[in-house]
Amino acid sequence: MLSADSIAPSGAPHFPFAMADLVQAWLDCRRNKRQSASAQAFEANAERNLCALRAELLSQTYQPGRSICFVVTHPKPREVWAADFRDRVVHHLLYNAIGPRFTASFDVGSAACIPGRGTLYAAQRLEHDVRSITQNWSRPAFYLKMDLANFFVAIDKPVLQRQLHAKVREPYWRWLTDTVLMHDPRTDFELRGDARLLQRVPAHKRLINAPADTGLPIGNLSSQFFANVHLNALDQFAKHQLHGKYYGRYVDDFYLLHESAQWLNDALASINAFVPQRLGAQLNPRKTILQPLERGIDFVGHVIKPWRRTTRKRTVATAVRRLQDMPAADLHTAGNSYLGLLRQASHSHHDQAAVINVLRKRGHCFKPDLTKIFRMKPA
């Protein structure tokens, strides 16, 4: 049985973490990764691997290993970097140790990689803000929606390092934070999948082309957490300097609501000045939108319009197309996943029916409320 003292020298006065903390990090890491080859290889000798990893961490000889680089094509081609499972355990250990002190200071409007604050939280909060500022759609108002250009690839690591050091003062956790943050996965990686897909990713969106000490790998817990730490400065600026009462952010997509379009234009100018100066980033002008709220606002896959919140049409169309062409063995799991996504919207009956019709024609039965499908029993 693993214990906190399994590899500890006798009489050691203090350790920055117990073996139980590392075991918990491993359990957190494996929750959705148990089928991966690296997770299974680690689990085959879990106690030995955890003890060896703990020894490296406590002696501060730990160094991240090889990453896997591959390309995903939906919703658009992008480069993904997956750390080795062993390194992912370390990411969870670090997050569990220092995450709460940062999360406690995050603005209530920020979401993503925060417990209880996923896409549904972000969509419902925006809907609440819209209803509040328009007094249940009885008064006009405007929204300003913004996005940071090439966000993860363009993150300035020295700036982020200073932000992390402001709250991570313990020498050990500061060392581990720096080890994870400053590791460059481009120095040791394996390319998986079709190498030709890399040509579909724009050069300026590829981490492999980023300058030194710039960019975080998309695909790791540490990168998502570090991104929230980095953008907390933007959240605080929007709320306390601009006095934006109705503000929200999901990763690098964020919005402001106001009764005055001129106020939002002034806010945009202020943010355009703040972002390069304080974060070393740039707004994406092609994704900066100022519109009346009555036209609808698209955010985190939901579209909020008067009296309803629906799933983005493109998402529904993609679901229908994929389910039509998907191998029969994958239909049950994928179909229920799509139905679970659709029922998050307040007005989803029509979209659920479109998905159910595809699944029905392919041999599945369904609940009357269109929320779940079942496999047909063989005759």
Side-chain angles (χ1 to χ4, degrees), residues 259-375:
E259 297 90 345
S260 167
Q262 184 57 53
W263 187 94
L264 290 174
N265 263 318
D266 294 342
L268 175 60
S270 298
I271 292 171
N272 249 325
F274 173 86
V275 167
Q277 181 181 2
R278 289 289 303 276
L279 301 179
Q282 300 286 338
L283 290 182
N284 186 340
R286 294 186 299 105
K287 293 186 178 181
T288 300
I289 303 171
L290 175 57
Q291 294 274 12
L293 276 169
E294 63 184 15
R295 295 186 184 179
I297 174 171
D298 185 330
F299 190 63
V300 295
H302 291 239
V303 179
I304 290 88
K305 289 187 176 182
W307 304 108
R308 65 190 185 277
R309 174 168 50 83
T310 59
T311 305
R312 184 184 294 156
K313 289 183 178 179
R314 186 177 65 192
T315 302
V316 179
T318 299
V320 169
R321 184 177 65 253
R322 286 187 166 187
L323 292 171
Q324 287 172 335
D325 301 331
M326 188 175 291
D330 300 331
L331 269 179
H332 181 257
T333 300
N336 278 319
S337 294
Y338 277 123
L339 290 172
L341 173 67
L342 294 176
R343 67 171 176 260
Q344 290 184 351
S346 62
H347 289 67
S348 60
H349 182 85
H350 181 270
D351 297 332
Q352 288 171 292
V355 168
I356 286 290
N357 279 334
V358 174
L359 296 167
R360 178 179 56 81
K361 291 176 182 177
R362 297 201 62 184
H364 285 74
C365 54
F366 54 92
K367 289 183 68 175
D369 62 0
L370 309 184
T371 60
K372 189 175 181 179
I373 59 168
F374 305 93
R375 293 186 178 95

Side-chain angles (χ1 to χ4, degrees), residues 20 27 56 70 75 87 99 141 144 150 201 235 253 265 291 298 366:
L27 294 175
E56 290 181 29
F70 58 95
D87 297 325
L144 172 64
N150 310 320
V201 182
D235 300 340
D253 294 327
N265 263 318
Q291 294 274 12
D298 185 330
F366 54 92

Side-chain angles (χ1 to χ4, degrees), residues 92-135:
H92 280 270
L93 177 71
L94 178 64
Y95 176 76
N96 291 344
I98 70 173
R101 70 185 73 175
F102 287 95
T103 302
S105 64
F106 287 162
D107 182 74
V108 69
S110 62
C113 199
I114 302 174
R117 300 195 205 173
T119 55
L120 180 58
Y121 172 91
Q124 289 177 332
R125 180 167 178 81
L126 171 57
E127 185 176 31
H128 177 270
D129 285 348
V130 168
R131 284 178 175 267
S132 294
I133 197 171
T134 62
Q135 295 186 10

Side-chain angles (χ1 to χ4, degrees), residues 142-194:
F142 300 84
Y143 75 87
L144 172 64
K145 191 156 77 87
M146 294 155 284
D147 174 284
L148 296 178
N150 310 320
F151 173 59
F152 279 98
V153 175
I155 287 177
D156 188 320
K157 284 187 177 181
V159 171
L160 176 53
Q161 185 180 42
R162 291 192 293 271
Q163 293 172 315
L164 288 161
H165 283 189
K167 286 184 179 289
V168 182
R169 301 186 181 278
E170 308 94 322
Y172 178 82
W173 293 113
R174 184 172 283 191
W175 163 78
L176 188 55
T177 298
D178 289 347
T179 299
V180 174
L181 171 65
M182 303 308 290
H183 171 65
D184 188 347
R186 297 172 295 185
T187 60
D188 184 16
F189 72 94
E190 175 188 349
L191 182 62
R192 292 271 181 92
D194 189 346

